[in-house]
Each structure stands twice: as C-alpha cells, then as structure tokens.
Amino acid sequence: MPPRKIIGVADLNIPGPDTRTLVAQLKAMSDGRRPVKTDELAKVRKCSVGKLEYTLNIASQVGLVKRVKQGWIAT
C-alpha cells in the first residue's frame, strides 16, 4: 500500500490578504459570471501579485475559488 499524503491548509502568518477576505472581494468583482485576473485583484487590494497568487492557490485547494484560462472565479 503506497504512503498517504496528508495535505493541511491554514492561513499562515504571512503578510498579505486573508483568504476569506480575498474570496469575498473576488465574488464582489466577478458577480459569478466573468473571471477576474490576478493583476486586477492586486490593484484593488493594493497588494503584490505574488502574495495574491499564494492566497488564491490556498483558496483553490480548499475549493473556494477556481482557476480558469482568463483568471479566477469564486465557487
């Protein structure tokens, strides 16, 4: 039997946007219809694209957002 992978997701103490706040902002910007690009979200949040990518990837693993070709959509 192969070893199991255990994946834990937590909001770390890294300066940047909170996952829940970022998902709420994404929902407000997209209206559930059009994807929002990371750089658009970074301008609104006044944060770097790298920090947003990190937080969005965490939210994606949990299932709060989905990455599509054009950007991000809140699920």
Side-chain angles (χ1 to χ4, degrees):
M1 188 163 143
R4 292 183 175 178
K5 287 185 179 180
I6 299 174
I7 299 173
V9 179
D11 285 333
L12 303 175
N13 192 11
I14 296 174
D18 180 57
T19 307
R20 292 179 197 96
T21 308
L22 186 61
V23 172
Q25 182 72 44
L26 184 64
K27 283 182 183 180
M29 289 178 67
S30 70
D31 295 331
R33 296 184 189 129
R34 75 170 185 92
V36 177
K37 294 182 181 179
T38 309
D39 58 344
E40 292 173 358
L41 196 55
K43 286 179 186 177
V44 171
R45 300 290 305 167
K46 296 180 180 147
C47 188
S48 71
V49 174
K51 289 179 184 177
L52 282 177
E53 285 281 335
Y54 176 79
T55 308
L56 287 168
N57 285 327
I58 290 174
S60 176
Q61 290 178 359
V62 176
L64 298 174
V65 298
K66 182 178 176 184
R67 185 176 205 144
V68 295
K69 287 183 184 179
Q70 299 84 10
W72 298 89
I73 295 177
T75 55

Short mmCIF file of all heavy atoms in Angstrom, two decimals:
data_model
loop_
_atom_site.label_atom_id
_atom_site.label_comp_id
_atom_site.label_asym_id
_atom_site.label_seq_id
_atom_site.Cartn_x
_atom_site.Cartn_y
_atom_site.Cartn_z
N MET A 1 0.84 -1.17 0.00
CA MET A 1 0.00 0.00 0.00
C MET A 1 0.90 1.25 0.00
O MET A 1 1.77 1.38 0.85
CB MET A 1 -0.88 -0.03 1.24
CG MET A 1 -1.93 1.01 1.27
SD MET A 1 -3.15 0.52 2.52
CE MET A 1 -3.54 2.08 3.17
N PRO A 2 0.68 2.15 -0.96
CA PRO A 2 1.53 3.35 -1.02
C PRO A 2 1.25 4.28 0.16
O PRO A 2 0.15 4.29 0.71
CB PRO A 2 1.12 4.01 -2.34
CG PRO A 2 -0.24 3.48 -2.64
CD PRO A 2 -0.30 2.11 -2.04
N PRO A 3 2.24 5.08 0.53
CA PRO A 3 2.02 6.01 1.65
C PRO A 3 1.00 7.07 1.28
O PRO A 3 0.87 7.47 0.13
CB PRO A 3 3.40 6.64 1.87
CG PRO A 3 4.14 6.43 0.60
CD PRO A 3 3.59 5.18 -0.02
N ARG A 4 0.24 7.49 2.26
CA ARG A 4 -0.78 8.51 2.06
C ARG A 4 -0.18 9.89 2.20
O ARG A 4 0.73 10.10 2.99
CB ARG A 4 -1.91 8.37 3.07
CG ARG A 4 -2.72 7.16 2.90
CD ARG A 4 -3.82 7.19 3.92
NE ARG A 4 -4.72 6.08 3.74
CZ ARG A 4 -5.75 5.86 4.51
NH1 ARG A 4 -5.99 6.65 5.52
NH2 ARG A 4 -6.53 4.83 4.29
N LYS A 5 -0.71 10.82 1.42
CA LYS A 5 -0.30 12.21 1.55
C LYS A 5 -1.36 12.93 2.37
O LYS A 5 -2.54 12.82 2.09
CB LYS A 5 -0.20 12.88 0.19
CG LYS A 5 0.97 12.45 -0.62
CD LYS A 5 1.04 13.28 -1.88
CE LYS A 5 2.23 12.89 -2.70
NZ LYS A 5 2.33 13.69 -3.94
N ILE A 6 -0.92 13.63 3.34
CA ILE A 6 -1.83 14.45 4.15
C ILE A 6 -1.54 15.90 3.82
O ILE A 6 -0.42 16.38 3.95
CB ILE A 6 -1.63 14.19 5.65
CG1 ILE A 6 -1.93 12.72 5.97
CG2 ILE A 6 -2.51 15.12 6.48
CD1 ILE A 6 -1.63 12.32 7.39
N ILE A 7 -2.57 16.59 3.35
CA ILE A 7 -2.42 17.99 2.98
C ILE A 7 -3.18 18.83 3.98
O ILE A 7 -4.37 18.64 4.18
CB ILE A 7 -2.95 18.25 1.56
CG1 ILE A 7 -2.14 17.42 0.56
CG2 ILE A 7 -2.89 19.72 1.22
CD1 ILE A 7 -2.68 17.47 -0.83
N GLY A 8 -2.50 19.74 4.60
CA GLY A 8 -3.13 20.65 5.54
C GLY A 8 -3.10 22.06 4.98
O GLY A 8 -2.11 22.49 4.42
N VAL A 9 -4.19 22.76 5.11
CA VAL A 9 -4.27 24.13 4.62
C VAL A 9 -4.63 25.04 5.79
O VAL A 9 -5.58 24.77 6.51
CB VAL A 9 -5.33 24.25 3.50
CG1 VAL A 9 -5.43 25.69 3.03
CG2 VAL A 9 -5.00 23.33 2.35
N ALA A 10 -3.83 26.07 5.96
CA ALA A 10 -4.09 27.01 7.05
C ALA A 10 -3.64 28.40 6.62
O ALA A 10 -2.76 28.54 5.77
CB ALA A 10 -3.33 26.59 8.31
N ASP A 11 -4.23 29.40 7.18
CA ASP A 11 -3.77 30.76 6.95
C ASP A 11 -2.54 30.98 7.80
O ASP A 11 -2.61 30.99 9.02
CB ASP A 11 -4.86 31.77 7.33
CG ASP A 11 -5.96 31.84 6.31
OD1 ASP A 11 -5.69 31.54 5.13
OD2 ASP A 11 -7.08 32.20 6.68
N LEU A 12 -1.40 31.10 7.14
CA LEU A 12 -0.15 31.30 7.86
C LEU A 12 0.02 32.78 8.19
O LEU A 12 -0.66 33.63 7.67
CB LEU A 12 1.01 30.82 6.99
CG LEU A 12 0.93 29.36 6.55
CD1 LEU A 12 2.07 29.04 5.60
CD2 LEU A 12 0.97 28.43 7.74
N ASN A 13 0.95 33.05 9.05
CA ASN A 13 1.20 34.43 9.44
C ASN A 13 2.14 35.10 8.43
O ASN A 13 3.21 35.57 8.77
CB ASN A 13 1.80 34.47 10.85
CG ASN A 13 1.80 35.86 11.42
OD1 ASN A 13 1.18 36.75 10.85
ND2 ASN A 13 2.52 36.05 12.51
N ILE A 14 1.73 35.12 7.18
CA ILE A 14 2.49 35.75 6.11
C ILE A 14 1.77 37.03 5.76
O ILE A 14 0.56 37.02 5.55
CB ILE A 14 2.57 34.81 4.88
CG1 ILE A 14 3.34 33.55 5.26
CG2 ILE A 14 3.23 35.52 3.71
CD1 ILE A 14 3.36 32.50 4.20
N PRO A 15 2.49 38.14 5.70
CA PRO A 15 1.82 39.40 5.37
C PRO A 15 1.14 39.32 4.01
O PRO A 15 1.75 38.95 3.03
CB PRO A 15 2.95 40.43 5.34
CG PRO A 15 4.09 39.79 6.04
CD PRO A 15 3.91 38.32 5.93
N GLY A 16 -0.11 39.62 3.99
CA GLY A 16 -0.87 39.53 2.76
C GLY A 16 -2.35 39.44 3.08
O GLY A 16 -2.75 39.48 4.25
N PRO A 17 -3.15 39.30 2.06
CA PRO A 17 -4.60 39.27 2.28
C PRO A 17 -5.06 37.97 2.94
O PRO A 17 -4.48 36.91 2.73
CB PRO A 17 -5.17 39.40 0.87
CG PRO A 17 -4.10 38.88 -0.01
CD PRO A 17 -2.80 39.21 0.66
N ASP A 18 -6.09 38.07 3.73
CA ASP A 18 -6.72 36.91 4.35
C ASP A 18 -7.51 36.16 3.29
O ASP A 18 -8.09 36.77 2.38
CB ASP A 18 -7.64 37.40 5.47
CG ASP A 18 -8.35 36.28 6.17
OD1 ASP A 18 -7.66 35.39 6.68
OD2 ASP A 18 -9.58 36.29 6.18
N THR A 19 -7.55 34.85 3.36
CA THR A 19 -8.22 34.04 2.35
C THR A 19 -9.70 34.37 2.24
O THR A 19 -10.22 34.57 1.14
CB THR A 19 -8.06 32.54 2.67
OG1 THR A 19 -6.67 32.24 2.85
CG2 THR A 19 -8.60 31.68 1.55
N ARG A 20 -10.38 34.46 3.36
CA ARG A 20 -11.82 34.74 3.33
C ARG A 20 -12.12 36.13 2.75
O ARG A 20 -13.06 36.30 1.99
CB ARG A 20 -12.39 34.62 4.73
CG ARG A 20 -12.38 33.21 5.25
CD ARG A 20 -12.93 33.15 6.66
NE ARG A 20 -12.55 31.91 7.29
CZ ARG A 20 -11.49 31.76 8.08
NH1 ARG A 20 -10.72 32.78 8.35
NH2 ARG A 20 -11.21 30.59 8.60
N THR A 21 -11.31 37.11 3.12
CA THR A 21 -11.49 38.46 2.61
C THR A 21 -11.25 38.51 1.11
O THR A 21 -11.99 39.17 0.37
CB THR A 21 -10.53 39.43 3.31
OG1 THR A 21 -10.66 39.28 4.72
CG2 THR A 21 -10.79 40.86 2.92
N LEU A 22 -10.25 37.80 0.66
CA LEU A 22 -9.92 37.79 -0.76
C LEU A 22 -11.02 37.12 -1.58
O LEU A 22 -11.39 37.60 -2.65
CB LEU A 22 -8.59 37.08 -0.98
CG LEU A 22 -8.03 37.11 -2.38
CD1 LEU A 22 -7.77 38.54 -2.82
CD2 LEU A 22 -6.76 36.30 -2.46
N VAL A 23 -11.57 36.04 -1.08
CA VAL A 23 -12.67 35.35 -1.78
C VAL A 23 -13.91 36.24 -1.83
O VAL A 23 -14.59 36.30 -2.86
CB VAL A 23 -12.98 33.99 -1.11
CG1 VAL A 23 -14.23 33.37 -1.69
CG2 VAL A 23 -11.80 33.04 -1.28
N ALA A 24 -14.18 36.97 -0.76
CA ALA A 24 -15.32 37.88 -0.75
C ALA A 24 -15.12 38.99 -1.78
O ALA A 24 -16.06 39.36 -2.50
CB ALA A 24 -15.52 38.47 0.63
N GLN A 25 -13.91 39.51 -1.88
CA GLN A 25 -13.61 40.55 -2.87
C GLN A 25 -13.74 40.00 -4.28
O GLN A 25 -14.27 40.66 -5.16
CB GLN A 25 -12.18 41.08 -2.66
CG GLN A 25 -11.79 42.18 -3.61
CD GLN A 25 -12.50 43.47 -3.29
OE1 GLN A 25 -12.59 43.85 -2.13
NE2 GLN A 25 -12.99 44.15 -4.30
N LEU A 26 -13.30 38.78 -4.50
CA LEU A 26 -13.41 38.15 -5.81
C LEU A 26 -14.86 37.95 -6.21
O LEU A 26 -15.24 38.22 -7.35
CB LEU A 26 -12.67 36.81 -5.80
CG LEU A 26 -12.60 36.04 -7.10
CD1 LEU A 26 -11.80 36.82 -8.14
CD2 LEU A 26 -11.96 34.69 -6.88
N LYS A 27 -15.69 37.54 -5.25
CA LYS A 27 -17.12 37.38 -5.54
C LYS A 27 -17.76 38.71 -5.89
O LYS A 27 -18.58 38.79 -6.80
CB LYS A 27 -17.84 36.78 -4.32
CG LYS A 27 -17.63 35.31 -4.16
CD LYS A 27 -18.42 34.80 -2.97
CE LYS A 27 -18.17 33.32 -2.76
NZ LYS A 27 -18.92 32.80 -1.62
N ALA A 28 -17.38 39.76 -5.20
CA ALA A 28 -17.95 41.08 -5.46
C ALA A 28 -17.53 41.62 -6.83
O ALA A 28 -18.31 42.28 -7.51
CB ALA A 28 -17.52 42.06 -4.37
N MET A 29 -16.31 41.31 -7.24
CA MET A 29 -15.82 41.82 -8.52
C MET A 29 -16.35 41.04 -9.71
O MET A 29 -16.54 41.61 -10.78
CB MET A 29 -14.29 41.80 -8.54
CG MET A 29 -13.64 42.82 -7.65
SD MET A 29 -11.85 42.71 -7.65
CE MET A 29 -11.48 43.20 -9.33
N SER A 30 -16.58 39.75 -9.54
CA SER A 30 -16.93 38.92 -10.70
C SER A 30 -18.42 38.73 -10.90
O SER A 30 -18.84 38.40 -11.99
CB SER A 30 -16.27 37.55 -10.57
OG SER A 30 -16.87 36.82 -9.53
N ASP A 31 -19.21 38.89 -9.87
CA ASP A 31 -20.65 38.62 -9.93
C ASP A 31 -20.93 37.18 -10.36
O ASP A 31 -22.01 36.88 -10.85
CB ASP A 31 -21.37 39.58 -10.88
CG ASP A 31 -21.31 41.02 -10.39
OD1 ASP A 31 -21.24 41.20 -9.17
OD2 ASP A 31 -21.33 41.94 -11.22
N GLY A 32 -19.95 36.29 -10.23
CA GLY A 32 -20.13 34.88 -10.58
C GLY A 32 -20.20 34.62 -12.07
O GLY A 32 -20.50 33.51 -12.49
N ARG A 33 -19.92 35.62 -12.89
CA ARG A 33 -20.05 35.45 -14.34
C ARG A 33 -18.72 35.50 -15.06
O ARG A 33 -18.39 34.64 -15.84
CB ARG A 33 -20.98 36.53 -14.90
CG ARG A 33 -22.38 36.42 -14.39
CD ARG A 33 -23.28 37.43 -15.05
NE ARG A 33 -24.57 37.43 -14.38
CZ ARG A 33 -25.16 38.50 -13.93
NH1 ARG A 33 -24.63 39.68 -14.09
NH2 ARG A 33 -26.32 38.41 -13.32
N ARG A 34 -17.97 36.57 -14.82
CA ARG A 34 -16.72 36.73 -15.56
C ARG A 34 -15.53 36.49 -14.64
O ARG A 34 -15.55 36.87 -13.46
CB ARG A 34 -16.64 38.11 -16.20
CG ARG A 34 -16.33 39.23 -15.26
CD ARG A 34 -16.02 40.53 -16.01
NE ARG A 34 -15.61 41.54 -15.06
CZ ARG A 34 -14.35 41.77 -14.70
NH1 ARG A 34 -13.39 41.06 -15.22
NH2 ARG A 34 -14.07 42.69 -13.80
N PRO A 35 -14.50 35.87 -15.17
CA PRO A 35 -13.30 35.66 -14.35
C PRO A 35 -12.57 36.97 -14.09
O PRO A 35 -12.61 37.89 -14.91
CB PRO A 35 -12.44 34.73 -15.21
CG PRO A 35 -13.25 34.34 -16.37
CD PRO A 35 -14.43 35.22 -16.45
N VAL A 36 -11.90 37.04 -12.97
CA VAL A 36 -11.13 38.22 -12.60
C VAL A 36 -9.66 37.86 -12.68
O VAL A 36 -9.23 36.83 -12.15
CB VAL A 36 -11.48 38.68 -11.17
CG1 VAL A 36 -10.64 39.86 -10.74
CG2 VAL A 36 -12.96 39.02 -11.08
N LYS A 37 -8.88 38.71 -13.34
CA LYS A 37 -7.45 38.47 -13.46
C LYS A 37 -6.76 38.82 -12.16
O LYS A 37 -7.22 39.67 -11.40
CB LYS A 37 -6.86 39.30 -14.60
CG LYS A 37 -7.38 38.88 -15.96
CD LYS A 37 -6.74 39.69 -17.04
CE LYS A 37 -7.29 39.27 -18.39
NZ LYS A 37 -6.72 40.05 -19.49
N THR A 38 -5.63 38.17 -11.92
CA THR A 38 -4.90 38.38 -10.69
C THR A 38 -4.41 39.82 -10.56
O THR A 38 -4.48 40.41 -9.49
CB THR A 38 -3.69 37.42 -10.61
OG1 THR A 38 -4.14 36.10 -10.88
CG2 THR A 38 -3.04 37.44 -9.24
N ASP A 39 -3.96 40.40 -11.66
CA ASP A 39 -3.46 41.78 -11.57
C ASP A 39 -4.58 42.78 -11.29
O ASP A 39 -4.36 43.79 -10.62
CB ASP A 39 -2.68 42.17 -12.81
CG ASP A 39 -3.47 42.04 -14.10
OD1 ASP A 39 -4.52 41.38 -14.09
OD2 ASP A 39 -3.02 42.60 -15.12
N GLU A 40 -5.79 42.52 -11.77
CA GLU A 40 -6.93 43.38 -11.45
C GLU A 40 -7.23 43.33 -9.96
O GLU A 40 -7.48 44.36 -9.32
CB GLU A 40 -8.18 42.96 -12.22
CG GLU A 40 -8.12 43.16 -13.70
CD GLU A 40 -9.33 42.57 -14.41
OE1 GLU A 40 -10.19 41.95 -13.74
OE2 GLU A 40 -9.42 42.72 -15.63
N LEU A 41 -7.21 42.13 -9.42
CA LEU A 41 -7.47 41.95 -8.00
C LEU A 41 -6.36 42.58 -7.16
O LEU A 41 -6.62 43.16 -6.10
CB LEU A 41 -7.60 40.45 -7.70
CG LEU A 41 -8.22 40.03 -6.40
CD1 LEU A 41 -9.60 40.63 -6.22
CD2 LEU A 41 -8.30 38.52 -6.34
N ALA A 42 -5.12 42.51 -7.64
CA ALA A 42 -3.99 43.10 -6.92
C ALA A 42 -4.11 44.62 -6.86
O ALA A 42 -3.77 45.22 -5.84
CB ALA A 42 -2.68 42.70 -7.59
N LYS A 43 -4.60 45.23 -7.93
CA LYS A 43 -4.78 46.69 -7.92
C LYS A 43 -5.82 47.11 -6.90
O LYS A 43 -5.65 48.10 -6.19
CB LYS A 43 -5.19 47.17 -9.31
CG LYS A 43 -4.08 47.15 -10.31
CD LYS A 43 -4.57 47.63 -11.67
CE LYS A 43 -3.50 47.48 -12.72
NZ LYS A 43 -3.97 47.85 -14.05
N VAL A 44 -6.91 46.35 -6.82
CA VAL A 44 -7.97 46.68 -5.88
C VAL A 44 -7.51 46.46 -4.44
O VAL A 44 -7.76 47.27 -3.55
CB VAL A 44 -9.24 45.85 -6.18
CG1 VAL A 44 -10.28 46.01 -5.10
CG2 VAL A 44 -9.81 46.22 -7.53
N ARG A 45 -6.81 45.37 -4.20
CA ARG A 45 -6.36 45.04 -2.85
C ARG A 45 -5.09 45.78 -2.45
O ARG A 45 -4.67 45.70 -1.31
CB ARG A 45 -6.12 43.53 -2.72
CG ARG A 45 -7.31 42.64 -2.96
CD ARG A 45 -8.33 42.71 -1.90
NE ARG A 45 -7.70 42.43 -0.62
CZ ARG A 45 -8.27 42.64 0.55
NH1 ARG A 45 -9.46 43.15 0.61
NH2 ARG A 45 -7.65 42.35 1.66
N LYS A 46 -4.43 46.44 -3.42
CA LYS A 46 -3.16 47.16 -3.19
C LYS A 46 -2.13 46.21 -2.57
O LYS A 46 -1.57 46.46 -1.50
CB LYS A 46 -3.37 48.38 -2.31
CG LYS A 46 -4.26 49.40 -2.98
CD LYS A 46 -4.48 50.60 -2.13
CE LYS A 46 -5.38 51.55 -2.90
NZ LYS A 46 -6.24 52.33 -2.09
N CYS A 47 -1.94 45.11 -3.29
CA CYS A 47 -1.06 44.04 -2.83
C CYS A 47 -0.29 43.52 -4.03
O CYS A 47 -0.69 43.73 -5.18
CB CYS A 47 -1.93 42.95 -2.21
SG CYS A 47 -1.00 41.65 -1.40
N SER A 48 0.80 42.81 -3.81
CA SER A 48 1.57 42.27 -4.93
C SER A 48 0.86 41.06 -5.52
O SER A 48 0.09 40.36 -4.85
CB SER A 48 2.97 41.88 -4.47
OG SER A 48 2.92 40.73 -3.67
N VAL A 49 1.14 40.81 -6.78
CA VAL A 49 0.53 39.69 -7.49
C VAL A 49 0.99 38.37 -6.87
O VAL A 49 0.22 37.42 -6.76
CB VAL A 49 0.86 39.75 -9.00
CG1 VAL A 49 0.36 38.52 -9.73
CG2 VAL A 49 0.28 41.00 -9.62
N GLY A 50 2.23 38.30 -6.43
CA GLY A 50 2.77 37.08 -5.82
C GLY A 50 2.03 36.66 -4.56
O GLY A 50 1.72 35.50 -4.35
N LYS A 51 1.75 37.64 -3.70
CA LYS A 51 1.01 37.34 -2.47
C LYS A 51 -0.41 36.88 -2.78
O LYS A 51 -0.93 35.98 -2.13
CB LYS A 51 0.98 38.56 -1.56
CG LYS A 51 2.29 38.90 -0.94
CD LYS A 51 2.19 40.12 -0.06
CE LYS A 51 3.53 40.52 0.49
NZ LYS A 51 3.46 41.75 1.28
N LEU A 52 -1.02 37.51 -3.78
CA LEU A 52 -2.37 37.11 -4.16
C LEU A 52 -2.39 35.71 -4.75
O LEU A 52 -3.29 34.93 -4.47
CB LEU A 52 -2.98 38.11 -5.15
CG LEU A 52 -3.48 39.39 -4.53
CD1 LEU A 52 -4.00 40.32 -5.60
CD2 LEU A 52 -4.56 39.12 -3.53
N GLU A 53 -1.41 35.41 -5.60
CA GLU A 53 -1.33 34.06 -6.19
C GLU A 53 -1.23 33.01 -5.09
O GLU A 53 -1.88 31.98 -5.16
CB GLU A 53 -0.11 33.96 -7.11
CG GLU A 53 -0.27 34.64 -8.44
CD GLU A 53 -1.07 33.82 -9.42
OE1 GLU A 53 -1.12 32.59 -9.29
OE2 GLU A 53 -1.64 34.44 -10.32
N TYR A 54 -0.41 33.28 -4.09
CA TYR A 54 -0.24 32.34 -2.98
C TYR A 54 -1.57 32.11 -2.26
O TYR A 54 -1.98 30.96 -2.04
CB TYR A 54 0.81 32.89 -2.01
CG TYR A 54 0.99 32.04 -0.77
CD1 TYR A 54 1.75 30.88 -0.82
CD2 TYR A 54 0.40 32.39 0.43
CE1 TYR A 54 1.91 30.09 0.30
CE2 TYR A 54 0.56 31.61 1.56
CZ TYR A 54 1.32 30.46 1.48
OH TYR A 54 1.47 29.68 2.59
N THR A 55 -2.25 33.20 -1.94
CA THR A 55 -3.52 33.09 -1.22
C THR A 55 -4.60 32.45 -2.09
O THR A 55 -5.39 31.64 -1.62
CB THR A 55 -3.98 34.47 -0.74
OG1 THR A 55 -2.91 35.09 -0.02
CG2 THR A 55 -5.19 34.38 0.16
N LEU A 56 -4.64 32.79 -3.37
CA LEU A 56 -5.62 32.20 -4.27
C LEU A 56 -5.38 30.70 -4.47
O LEU A 56 -6.32 29.92 -4.60
CB LEU A 56 -5.62 32.93 -5.61
CG LEU A 56 -6.25 34.31 -5.60
CD1 LEU A 56 -5.94 35.05 -6.90
CD2 LEU A 56 -7.75 34.22 -5.40
N ASN A 57 -4.13 30.30 -4.49
CA ASN A 57 -3.83 28.87 -4.60
C ASN A 57 -4.30 28.10 -3.37
O ASN A 57 -4.80 26.98 -3.48
CB ASN A 57 -2.34 28.64 -4.85
CG ASN A 57 -1.94 28.98 -6.26
OD1 ASN A 57 -2.72 28.81 -7.20
ND2 ASN A 57 -0.74 29.49 -6.43
N ILE A 58 -4.16 28.70 -2.19
CA ILE A 58 -4.68 28.07 -0.98
C ILE A 58 -6.20 27.96 -1.06
O ILE A 58 -6.77 26.92 -0.77
CB ILE A 58 -4.26 28.87 0.28
CG1 ILE A 58 -2.77 28.70 0.52
CG2 ILE A 58 -5.04 28.41 1.51
CD1 ILE A 58 -2.22 29.56 1.64
N ALA A 59 -6.85 29.04 -1.48
CA ALA A 59 -8.31 29.03 -1.61
C ALA A 59 -8.75 28.01 -2.66
O ALA A 59 -9.80 27.39 -2.52
CB ALA A 59 -8.82 30.42 -1.97
N SER A 60 -7.95 27.81 -3.68
CA SER A 60 -8.27 26.83 -4.72
C SER A 60 -8.19 25.41 -4.17
O SER A 60 -9.04 24.57 -4.49
CB SER A 60 -7.31 27.00 -5.89
OG SER A 60 -7.52 26.02 -6.85
N GLN A 61 -7.20 25.13 -3.34
CA GLN A 61 -7.06 23.80 -2.74
C GLN A 61 -8.23 23.48 -1.82
O GLN A 61 -8.65 22.34 -1.72
CB GLN A 61 -5.75 23.70 -1.97
CG GLN A 61 -4.53 23.67 -2.86
CD GLN A 61 -3.24 23.63 -2.05
OE1 GLN A 61 -3.26 23.63 -0.82
NE2 GLN A 61 -2.12 23.60 -2.75
N VAL A 62 -8.74 24.48 -1.16
CA VAL A 62 -9.88 24.28 -0.26
C VAL A 62 -11.19 24.19 -1.03
O VAL A 62 -12.16 23.63 -0.56
CB VAL A 62 -9.93 25.44 0.78
CG1 VAL A 62 -11.13 25.33 1.68
CG2 VAL A 62 -8.67 25.47 1.60
N GLY A 63 -11.22 24.75 -2.25
CA GLY A 63 -12.42 24.70 -3.07
C GLY A 63 -13.24 25.97 -3.06
O GLY A 63 -14.39 25.97 -3.45
N LEU A 64 -12.65 27.07 -2.61
CA LEU A 64 -13.37 28.34 -2.56
C LEU A 64 -13.32 29.09 -3.88
O LEU A 64 -14.22 29.86 -4.19
CB LEU A 64 -12.80 29.23 -1.45
CG LEU A 64 -12.91 28.68 -0.03
CD1 LEU A 64 -12.19 29.59 0.94
CD2 LEU A 64 -14.37 28.53 0.35
N VAL A 65 -12.25 28.90 -4.65
CA VAL A 65 -12.11 29.54 -5.95
C VAL A 65 -11.67 28.51 -6.98
O VAL A 65 -11.22 27.42 -6.63
CB VAL A 65 -11.09 30.71 -5.92
CG1 VAL A 65 -11.53 31.81 -4.98
CG2 VAL A 65 -9.71 30.23 -5.58
N LYS A 66 -11.81 28.90 -8.23
CA LYS A 66 -11.42 28.02 -9.32
C LYS A 66 -10.61 28.83 -10.32
O LYS A 66 -10.99 29.95 -10.67
CB LYS A 66 -12.66 27.45 -9.99
CG LYS A 66 -12.37 26.48 -11.09
CD LYS A 66 -13.67 25.94 -11.66
CE LYS A 66 -13.40 25.03 -12.83
NZ LYS A 66 -14.65 24.57 -13.44
N ARG A 67 -9.50 28.27 -10.78
CA ARG A 67 -8.68 28.95 -11.78
C ARG A 67 -9.13 28.52 -13.17
O ARG A 67 -9.26 27.34 -13.45
CB ARG A 67 -7.21 28.63 -11.59
CG ARG A 67 -6.34 29.41 -12.52
CD ARG A 67 -4.88 29.18 -12.28
NE ARG A 67 -4.19 30.36 -12.76
CZ ARG A 67 -3.13 30.88 -12.21
NH1 ARG A 67 -2.63 30.34 -11.14
NH2 ARG A 67 -2.58 31.94 -12.73
N VAL A 68 -9.37 29.50 -14.03
CA VAL A 68 -9.73 29.26 -15.42
C VAL A 68 -8.71 30.00 -16.29
O VAL A 68 -7.87 30.71 -15.79
CB VAL A 68 -11.18 29.71 -15.72
CG1 VAL A 68 -12.19 28.88 -14.96
CG2 VAL A 68 -11.37 31.17 -15.38
N LYS A 69 -8.83 29.84 -17.59
CA LYS A 69 -7.86 30.46 -18.51
C LYS A 69 -7.78 31.98 -18.33
O LYS A 69 -6.72 32.56 -18.36
CB LYS A 69 -8.22 30.16 -19.95
CG LYS A 69 -7.94 28.77 -20.38
CD LYS A 69 -8.27 28.62 -21.85
CE LYS A 69 -8.10 27.20 -22.31
NZ LYS A 69 -8.43 27.04 -23.73
N GLN A 70 -8.92 32.61 -18.16
CA GLN A 70 -8.97 34.07 -18.12
C GLN A 70 -8.68 34.64 -16.74
O GLN A 70 -8.52 35.84 -16.60
CB GLN A 70 -10.35 34.57 -18.58
CG GLN A 70 -10.70 34.18 -19.99
CD GLN A 70 -11.29 32.77 -20.09
OE1 GLN A 70 -11.61 32.15 -19.09
NE2 GLN A 70 -11.41 32.29 -21.31
N GLY A 71 -8.66 33.85 -15.69
CA GLY A 71 -8.41 34.37 -14.35
C GLY A 71 -8.96 33.46 -13.27
O GLY A 71 -8.79 32.26 -13.31
N TRP A 72 -9.67 34.03 -12.31
CA TRP A 72 -10.21 33.31 -11.16
C TRP A 72 -11.70 33.52 -11.03
O TRP A 72 -12.20 34.60 -11.31
CB TRP A 72 -9.54 33.80 -9.88
CG TRP A 72 -8.07 33.56 -9.84
CD1 TRP A 72 -7.10 34.40 -10.30
CD2 TRP A 72 -7.39 32.42 -9.33
NE1 TRP A 72 -5.87 33.86 -10.09
CE2 TRP A 72 -6.01 32.64 -9.49
CE3 TRP A 72 -7.81 31.23 -8.74
CZ2 TRP A 72 -5.06 31.72 -9.10
CZ3 TRP A 72 -6.86 30.33 -8.34
CH2 TRP A 72 -5.51 30.57 -8.52
N ILE A 73 -12.40 32.50 -10.58
CA ILE A 73 -13.84 32.58 -10.33
C ILE A 73 -14.09 32.01 -8.93
O ILE A 73 -13.57 30.96 -8.59
CB ILE A 73 -14.66 31.77 -11.36
CG1 ILE A 73 -14.50 32.37 -12.74
CG2 ILE A 73 -16.11 31.71 -10.97
CD1 ILE A 73 -15.22 31.60 -13.82
N ALA A 74 -14.89 32.69 -8.16
CA ALA A 74 -15.28 32.19 -6.84
C ALA A 74 -16.36 31.14 -7.02
O ALA A 74 -17.29 31.31 -7.80
CB ALA A 74 -15.78 33.33 -5.96
N THR A 75 -16.23 30.03 -6.31
CA THR A 75 -17.21 28.93 -6.42
C THR A 75 -18.23 28.98 -5.32
O THR A 75 -18.11 29.64 -4.36
CB THR A 75 -16.51 27.57 -6.40
OG1 THR A 75 -15.72 27.46 -5.23
CG2 THR A 75 -15.67 27.40 -7.63
#
